[in-house]
Amino acid sequence: MKKNTLKKAMALALAGMMALSVAACGQPSDTEPLEAASNPVEEETDEAITLTIWNTEVTTPGIQDNDVARVIEEKLGIKMDIVQGDSQKFSVLVAGGDLPDIIYTNPAQQGVEANALITSGQLIAMDDLIDQYGENIKKNFPSRLDYSKKYVSNGEDKTYFIPVLCYTVDEENPDISYTIENVGLMTRWDVYAAIGYPEIQTTDDYLDVLKQMQDYARENDLAEGKEIYAISGWNDWGLWPWWLANVREMGWQDLSNGAIINKATEEVDLNYHTDAFWESLKFYNKAYNLGILDPEAFTMKNDQFWDKCNNGQVLMAYASWQTDNMNKTMASNGHPEWGFEKIPFSGYPYISGIVSGDAPLGNASDYATAITTNCKYPEKAMQLIDFCNSEEGARLLWSGVEGTHWELKDGKAQPTEGYQKLIKEDASYTTSTGITLYNKLCGFKETQILSDGSPANVLKSNEQKAQNILDIDKEYCEYYSEQRGGEFLYPGMVLNDMWQKGEVDTFTNYILYTSLVQAPSDETLNILAQCDQYMNVQGVKAIMAKNDAEFEAAREEAMTELNAMGFEKAREEILSLYEAAKVDASSFEIK
């Protein structure tokens, strides 16, 4: 494809700045970003056109040939060609001006901030396209567009990004998560049961129990000759495994640019400056010195971590989106008695997402959809995006094909018997059919109730959760039914009962202002990028400290080095932006 010389020059300048770190962004430019007209639309034919789409979750990149993709091709005349990769590949595509036609934002994965893609001339403003082809975008969660123009447009008041995964709470029928929702420490329940369900109160208790579990698993060769560690991790997401789940269970929520918020007090700070962050690293330092932290965790990739969990070699994971899949995989591999569950204890009093909370702006700028200036068919790209923001598109992306995977019964959408049977027999069945693979394009969260009264993902109704329970989940529910009385049909009901009785805590409050924060200066972004790069090494050094004194020395050394890089100056700017966002929130209207 012929490249605009200016755009390529801007892209190369951006790539040079990104070399500082996978989290860095490019230099701004006074040059206006290229509009859609810079790539004239080629004359369409009756044949399907092909759109390239960035997606890091599809394991089979290239032209998509599955049930969901075929419906999209038949309905819209669009073949989806998935481009998959890591931050290094994304930076190469940016540098060469070779981004796919449609992308989504994720600074942590891609190494570039949203505004940098605008200033480098990589994106088109979608306002005219939305006016002509975006009826569903305008109708469903319309506040997204106001947000995008004001806060994710580099001050241009144009729509470069469309937020996704929005949700409105159904007050009469709250969605109770199947286990937890999103991030939190999950533990191999079968091994915990085998050692007698020891009581856990503090984080030290939890580590001691994990040590007992590791000893038992090794003595009984549960991984069939493979080395077992209670805790493992991966290194291609930076320090992600070593702090995020822990700080959430202390009551903090991660934000952009290294900030976190205490959701009870609404206090914002940068993670490296908080005790919560360092207490998280200390947790893993203790695990390391107990001999229950896999030494390969600091060199492995994320997919290797998944493989070890599925093989029974790891006894703790970090999120329900990991363990929901792992439990099904282990069951389909002949181990229905294996599985991860949430074990509540007072040392970590907060549990993520016991019930779903409002998200009128979805994930805000994270995973927001954009069309690049490379797109020869921007009208078709917008038609695809608008379809994915419709109820029909949401049901297809989350639930599959009507008649094959779901059907209407008594006026409600429900999974077919054949679909329910196949997902129990084959843990990879949904992804092989395309179901849930393209969810980052969807305007609706999977639990959003659509106009037919069923969630976008028909497997996510409270009734279906109870019907599709795994053997390990039954054992979890039966244990707590005996301990607490009452009937629990799936694990989330146990946690909801604890929350209703004040025994654990969760957050349902939507804090608007954290989504209304303007982008920091390039100087601050570059400082934070260097700090992250440094901490990816220093954080591991702290975890591997031999004793408390060595750990504290590593912490002090870190803060000294961070401040020498300008961390405190960057922190002051970030906190001032959050204070300004509080003022903006008072006048921002959610429609």
Side-chain angles (χ1 to χ4, degrees):
M1 183 182 295
K2 186 176 181 180
K3 306 293 190 299
N4 181 287
T5 304
L6 174 61
K7 180 177 73 173
K8 192 163 186 177
M10 296 292 294
L12 289 169
L14 173 62
M17 297 304 300
M18 288 169 63
L20 288 171
S21 165
V22 297
C25 81
Q27 289 279 20
S29 168
D30 295 331
T31 305
E32 286 293 313
L34 302 177
E35 302 291 343
S38 65
N39 282 297
V41 180
E42 295 183 358
E43 183 177 348
E44 296 183 28
T45 68
D46 291 336
E47 295 183 1
I49 62 98
T50 298
L51 293 175
T52 53
I53 302 170
W54 177 262
N55 187 312
T56 59
E57 298 178 353
V58 176
T59 56
T60 54
I63 299 292
Q64 299 296 283
D65 184 20
N66 54 55
D67 293 354
V68 171
R70 284 190 288 271
V71 171
I72 289 173
E73 181 178 348
E74 291 167 6
K75 184 175 184 63
L76 302 177
I78 296 170
K79 290 179 180 287
M80 296 191 297
D81 182 0
I82 297 298
V83 179
Q84 196 245 26
D86 56 13
S87 60
Q88 183 177 7
K89 180 170 183 176
F90 194 83
S91 67
V92 170
L93 295 174
V94 170
D98 294 321
L99 284 173
D101 299 324
I102 297 173
I103 64 169
Y104 60 69
T105 58
N106 188 317
Q109 287 183 354
Q110 297 164 351
V112 58
E113 295 293 327
N115 277 353
L117 292 169
I118 299 172
T119 59
S120 63
Q122 303 274 353
L123 306 181
I124 67 171
M126 296 183 283
D127 301 83
D128 291 343
L129 292 170
I130 292 171
D131 285 343
Q132 189 170 358
Y133 301 103
E135 288 305 310
N136 291 294
I137 294 170
K138 292 183 286 186
K139 179 177 68 174
N140 298 317
F141 306 102
S143 298
R144 294 182 291 169
L145 300 181
D146 296 335
Y147 159 77
S148 183
K149 288 180 181 181
K150 187 170 183 180
Y151 297 99
V152 206
S153 71
N154 195 44
E156 297 177 22
D157 197 36
K158 297 177 182 178
T159 308
Y160 287 99
F161 296 96
I162 300 173
V164 297
L165 304 177
C166 301
Y167 181 78
T168 300
V169 169
D170 181 345
E171 297 290 353
E172 295 183 1
N173 298 289
D175 173 67
I176 302 172
S177 300
Y178 186 76
T179 51
I180 66 171
E181 182 180 291
N182 213 318
V183 175
L185 302 181
M186 305 290 284
T187 312
R188 273 282 296 273
W189 180 257
D190 55 302
V191 184
Y192 177 66
I195 64 170
Y197 312 99
E199 182 181 6
I200 303 173
Q201 293 291 335
T202 67
T203 55
D204 285 343
D205 291 341
Y206 182 52
L207 289 169
D208 289 340
V209 167
L210 287 172
K211 177 68 167 63
Q212 296 175 50
M213 290 171 59
Q214 177 178 291
D215 292 343
Y216 175 88
R218 288 179 173 183
E219 289 167 6
N220 290 273
D221 193 23
L222 295 189
E224 299 174 349
K226 299 181 178 69
E227 189 75 83
I228 297 171
Y229 282 94
I231 299 174
S232 191
W234 59 97
N235 74 351
D236 44 340
W237 293 12
L239 291 179
W240 194 101
W242 312 125
W243 72 278
L244 190 60
N246 301 68
V247 299
R248 286 202 186 180
E249 298 201 340
M250 296 180 209
W252 294 76
Q253 174 72 41
D254 45 298
L255 306 171
S256 60
N257 298 310
I260 59 175
I261 183 171
N262 184 309
K263 295 200 75 174
T265 65
E266 299 194 12
E267 170 196 358
V268 174
D269 206 341
L270 265 61
N271 55 351
Y272 302 145
H273 195 262
T274 64
D275 288 338
F277 172 81
W278 289 99
E279 287 170 13
S280 299
L281 295 194
K282 184 61 179 175
F283 174 88
Y284 294 103
N285 170 249
K286 290 179 178 179
Y288 179 80
N289 285 308
L290 280 171
I292 61 173
L293 177 55
D294 181 1
E296 294 182 353
F298 305 119
T299 56
M300 291 195 312
K301 302 301 183 184
N302 180 250
D303 59 342
Q304 295 172 295
F305 170 79
W306 278 67
D307 287 343
K308 282 193 174 185
C309 289
N310 288 332
N311 291 335
Q313 294 176 258
V314 181
L315 307 180
M316 190 194 85
Y318 300 90
S320 60
W321 44 261
Q322 294 174 329
T323 58
D324 286 353
N325 184 283
M326 290 168 181
N327 288 358
K328 292 173 184 176
T329 299
M330 290 186 286
S332 64
N333 288 344
H335 290 289
E337 75 282 6
W338 290 4
F340 295 88
E341 303 288 351
K342 183 63 197 167
I343 302 177
F345 60 94
S346 57
Y348 279 154
Y350 290 90
I351 295 177
S352 174
I354 292 176
V355 295
S356 295
D358 277 319
L361 302 180
N363 283 36
S365 61
D366 211 13
Y367 298 114
T369 307
I371 301 175
T372 74
T373 50
N374 287 331
C375 184
K376 294 190 296 183
Y377 306 103
E379 287 90 350
K380 295 297 286 186
M382 180 52 64
Q383 290 173 28
L384 173 61
I385 293 168
D386 188 67
F387 176 71
C388 293
N389 280 269
S390 69
E391 290 201 4
E392 179 185 3
R395 179 60 50 70
L396 174 68
L397 295 177
W398 286 116
S399 297
V401 181
E402 183 176 7
T404 301
H405 305 112
W406 66 274
E407 59 190 350
L408 287 174
K409 277 188 177 181
D410 302 322
K412 283 195 171 186
Q414 300 180 30
T416 62
E417 291 184 7
Y419 179 41
Q420 294 183 77
K421 180 174 182 291
L422 286 166
I423 59 175
K424 288 180 179 178
E425 294 174 349
D426 181 2
S428 65
Y429 178 75
T430 53
T431 54
S432 68
T433 60
I435 298 171
T436 74
L437 272 187
Y438 316 112
N439 63 75
K440 296 299 188 297
L441 289 170
C442 190
F444 298 83
K445 189 176 174 182
E446 63 180 331
T447 51
Q448 179 62 52
I449 302 298
L450 304 183
S451 56
D452 62 12
S454 297
N457 186 337
V458 293
L459 295 174
K460 293 299 182 178
S461 70
N462 291 338
E463 296 80 10
Q464 286 300 322
K465 292 169 193 170
Q467 289 183 27
N468 292 296
I469 189 170
L470 298 174
D471 288 350
I472 189 66
D473 300 327
K474 288 180 183 177
E475 294 180 15
Y476 178 86
C477 291
E478 288 169 359
Y479 171 80
Y480 279 108
S481 291
E482 182 178 336
Q483 294 292 311
R484 304 176 61 81
E487 183 180 16
F488 304 116
L489 303 180
Y490 57 91
M493 292 183 68
V494 174
L495 303 176
N496 186 58
D497 183 63
M498 293 178 177
W499 176 46
Q500 295 294 333
K501 293 176 179 176
E503 299 167 20
V504 299
D505 212 340
T506 193
F507 292 109
T508 58
N509 56 320
Y510 177 68
I511 303 175
L512 173 63
Y513 85 86
T514 59
S515 297
L516 306 184
V517 179
Q518 296 285 2
S521 66
D522 285 330
E523 180 186 10
T524 286
L525 288 171
N526 290 330
I527 288 171
L528 294 177
Q530 293 178 63
C531 291
D532 288 342
Q533 190 175 41
Y534 168 76
M535 283 302 299
N536 286 342
V537 176
Q538 186 68 11
V540 172
K541 178 180 177 180
I543 291 171
M544 298 178 70
K546 295 178 182 178
N547 51 51
D548 291 347
E550 193 171 308
F551 180 88
E552 288 304 319
R555 177 177 179 173
E556 291 178 11
E557 179 185 8
M559 298 313 300
T560 299
E561 292 297 321
L562 289 173
N563 288 329
M565 295 175 190
F567 176 77
E568 189 58 38
K569 180 180 179 181
R571 175 174 173 263
E572 289 176 3
E573 181 182 340
I574 295 292
L575 296 185
S576 70
L577 291 172
Y578 276 95
E579 287 301 314
K582 288 181 181 179
V583 177
D584 283 356
S586 64
S587 59
F588 187 88
E589 181 183 0
I590 297 292
K591 300 174 183 177

